[in-house]
């Protein structure tokens, strides 16, 4: 496998560091306002006409050691001996995210399948549920990883898609096949917990209602102080650390939306 990165500035894509093979895949990460403009993808396709394009909106773009906002970057991948296929769908066509995940996974031939990358809408879809649906269909041992699209700090809508079909609610799966590829994944977090450990006393799915019998949003706002006025955007700076029972490992859950009328927070 070979990879290279290009960036978009002032309506122009940077020159790649090497020749892009005819058959390749690109992952386009861009600010949502940029991604909504057809000229972004049109200019990419003109420069790299034989490249399949997976797109998603973001909350910051990374190129090398630099992190930018309101920009676009693309990572182009080429495989000499590894076949790849895609499956796409929109959440509006399914009753829940689990069924959406099952449908997408069932579109992939599992014979020789080694890895599945998931790029999903990050606002309308429950990420945990779609992964549960995917794993319910795929055989054990197939690695699944990916990410949810973002919308900077706006929390209005997110975009994802394959080639020209980029819209809200989309999910794209890419499957890689064969014995010539080896996949590993890793996760690292940099958060530090603060405050006393508490017990979740009421929740439903990804919606958190109460902590220690207290309204969860009310308690969360108390800890955030002045930052509570900037919710839900400020929640990016103060996610929740959650563990189950006696398990010593923690999972960081980011709040995606709040409902002040019902005083309910929704986290993924």
């Amino acid at each position: 496998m070979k990879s290279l990165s290009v960036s978009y500035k002032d309506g122009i894509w940077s020159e790649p560091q090497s020749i892009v093979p005819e058959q390749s895949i690109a992952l386009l990460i861009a600010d949502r306002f940029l991604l909504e403009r057809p000229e972004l993808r049109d200019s990419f396709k003109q420069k790299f006409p034989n490249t399949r394009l997976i797109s998603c909106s973001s909350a910051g773009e990374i190129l090398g050691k630099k992190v930018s906002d309101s920009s676009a970057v693309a990572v182009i991948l080429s495989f000499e001996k590894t076949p790849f296929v895609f499956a796409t769908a929109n959440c509006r066509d399914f009753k829940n995210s689990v069924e959406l995940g099952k449908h997408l996974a069932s579109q992939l031939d599992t014979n020789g399948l080694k890895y599945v990358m998931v790029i999903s809408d990050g606002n309308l879809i429950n990420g945990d549920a779609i992964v549960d649906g995917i794993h319910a269909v795929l055989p054990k041992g197939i690695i699944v990883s990916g990410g949810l699209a973002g919308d900077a700090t706006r929390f209005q809508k997110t975009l994802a898609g394959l080639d020209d079909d980029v819209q809200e609610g989309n999910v794209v799966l890419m499957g890689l096949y064969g014995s010539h590829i080896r996949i590993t994944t890793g996760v690292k977090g940099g958060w530090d917990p603060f405050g006393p450990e508490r017990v979740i006393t009421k929740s439903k799915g990804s919606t958190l209602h109460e902590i220690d019998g207290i309204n969860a949003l009310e308690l969360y706002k108390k800890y955030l102080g002045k930052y509570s006025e900037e919710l839900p955007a400020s929640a990016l700076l103060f996610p929740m650390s959650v563990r189950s029972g006696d398990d010593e490992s923690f999972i960081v859950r980011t709040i995606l939306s709040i409902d002040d009328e019902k005083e309910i927070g929704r986290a993924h």
Side-chain angles (χ1 to χ4, degrees), residues 6-14 34 40 43 66 70-73:
V6 291
S7 60
Y8 183 81
K9 184 177 181 181
D10 299 328
I12 300 174
W13 287 97
S14 63
L34 268 178
L40 176 67
S43 62
K66 184 179 180 180
S70 303
S71 64
V73 299

Side-chain angles (χ1 to χ4, degrees), residues 38-146:
E39 54 263 34
L40 176 67
R41 296 192 307 276
D42 289 345
S43 62
F44 185 90
K45 288 184 292 184
Q46 289 174 5
K47 194 173 186 65
F48 309 106
N50 297 312
T51 299
R52 299 297 303 273
L53 186 60
I54 303 172
S55 302
C56 72
S57 57
S58 68
E61 300 77 50
I62 302 173
L63 183 62
K65 297 181 179 181
K66 184 179 180 180
V67 180
S68 302
D69 293 313
S70 303
S71 64
V73 299
V75 179
I76 304 173
L77 306 173
S78 61
F79 302 95
E80 183 179 353
K81 299 178 180 180
T82 300
F84 55 85
V85 299
F86 301 100
T88 65
N90 191 283
C91 69
R92 295 184 178 94
D93 299 324
F94 298 84
K95 64 180 181 180
N96 57 51
S97 295
V98 172
E99 294 304 314
L100 172 58
K102 289 180 178 179
H103 169 80
L104 285 165
S106 67
Q107 305 306 301
L108 302 178
D109 182 0
T110 58
N111 184 28
L113 181 62
K114 291 298 180 66
Y115 169 69
V116 176
M117 183 179 74
V118 186
I119 299 297
S120 169
D121 177 284
N123 189 45
L124 302 178
I125 290 174
N126 184 318
D128 287 344
I130 196 170
V131 171
D132 287 343
I134 292 171
H135 280 302
V137 172
L138 296 182
K140 291 183 178 180
I142 296 176
I143 296 175
V144 179
S145 69

Side-chain angles (χ1 to χ4, degrees), residues 199-211:
V199 177
I200 295 174
T201 50
K202 185 179 180 182
S203 65
K204 183 178 180 180
S206 60
T207 302
L208 176 60
H209 295 264
E210 291 182 1
I211 300 176

